[in-house]
Amino acid sequence: MISIARLLLFFVITMGYNAFFRNTVKMNRRLTWVFTFSVITLVLYLGSLLGFMLQTVYAISVLGCLLSLYYLWAVWKKKYRFRRLDYIALGMMAYLLLHYDNFTHWATIVKFFHINNALPTQQDTIISYYTYPVGSSLFIYFFTTIVGFSEGSMLVGQFFLIASSLYAMFAALRDDRRVL
């Protein structure tokens, strides 16, 4: 039960950023998810370089919740309206049933992040990933910090990242009737 509540919290956080990019920045609705996840990853990377990895997760979360509250208030005041899910988004949800990822190469670095709340350095002897590109692993660290750390939640976080990238590919379509 608590994992479902924490997953809903993750959606509240990311939907706040998603609504901000879609409504305020006027970004294509199919690009907002991958852009949101990329911005979260970049901000988390900057925070981890400064030595504030866990604090950055909390700051991103608070700002995302505030953006969600503002968006709900704006919908209530009729400034914005809810968008329905299109059939491409529904197809991406169906993709969840087929998703599989061999996560041994990045799960180790995510576990390291949870143990140390810092990026690995050359002095760390337990892990040799100090030159590993940590982009997607940082997003999964963010996801598992919010939702809870487990192998299953790492896979779900990776799925959301992959699905958002696949969904963004449909942003190039000018006519939705040409999807196939």
Side-chain angles (χ1 to χ4, degrees):
M1 183 66 174
I2 209 157
S3 296
I4 294 172
R6 292 175 79 172
L7 184 62
L8 289 174
L9 176 63
F10 172 78
F11 281 120
V12 166
I13 293 165
T14 54
M15 288 179 114
Y17 288 108
N18 186 34
F20 173 77
F21 294 131
R22 186 178 61 240
N23 296 320
T24 306
V25 181
K26 304 294 184 203
M27 187 175 288
N28 184 312
R29 66 183 171 161
R30 294 186 178 132
L31 291 176
T32 55
W33 287 107
V34 73
F35 191 76
T36 297
F37 296 165
S38 298
V39 166
I40 287 172
T41 302
L42 288 173
V43 170
L44 189 55
Y45 183 64
L46 290 174
S48 63
L49 287 177
L50 296 173
F52 300 109
M53 193 171 195
L54 189 59
Q55 295 88 342
T56 306
V57 170
Y58 295 143
I60 290 169
S61 300
V62 168
L63 183 59
C65 288
L66 291 174
L67 286 171
S68 287
L69 289 174
Y70 171 75
Y71 177 64
L72 288 174
W73 175 80
V75 167
W76 184 63
K77 290 289 189 180
K78 308 277 191 238
K79 188 175 181 182
Y80 300 119
R81 61 184 174 90
F82 279 115
R83 298 211 184 232
R84 293 180 294 131
L85 290 175
D86 59 352
Y87 55 90
I88 295 173
L90 293 173
M92 291 289 109
M93 287 182 198
Y95 173 70
L96 172 67
L97 302 173
L98 303 173
H99 176 254
Y100 171 77
D101 189 11
N102 181 2
F103 63 95
T104 55
H105 64 283
W106 52 260
T108 306
I109 191 79
V110 174
K111 187 173 183 178
F112 180 87
F113 289 161
H114 274 280
I115 292 170
N116 298 309
N117 288 316
L119 293 174
T121 63
Q122 293 178 349
Q123 289 78 26
D124 292 315
T125 57
I126 195 165
I127 192 166
S128 61
Y129 287 122
Y130 58 88
T131 59
Y132 183 79
V134 295
S136 63
S137 300
L138 277 171
F139 175 76
I140 296 165
Y141 166 77
F142 174 78
F143 180 83
T144 54
T145 301
I146 302 299
V147 175
F149 183 77
S150 71
E151 288 183 7
S153 63
M154 286 193 290
L155 281 172
V156 171
Q158 180 74 359
F159 161 73
F160 287 144
L161 190 60
I162 291 169
S164 70
S165 301
L166 290 174
Y167 189 57
M169 290 185 346
F170 292 100
L173 293 176
R174 293 180 189 211
D175 185 10
D176 283 343
R177 294 176 294 174
R178 299 179 184 260
V179 169
L180 291 180

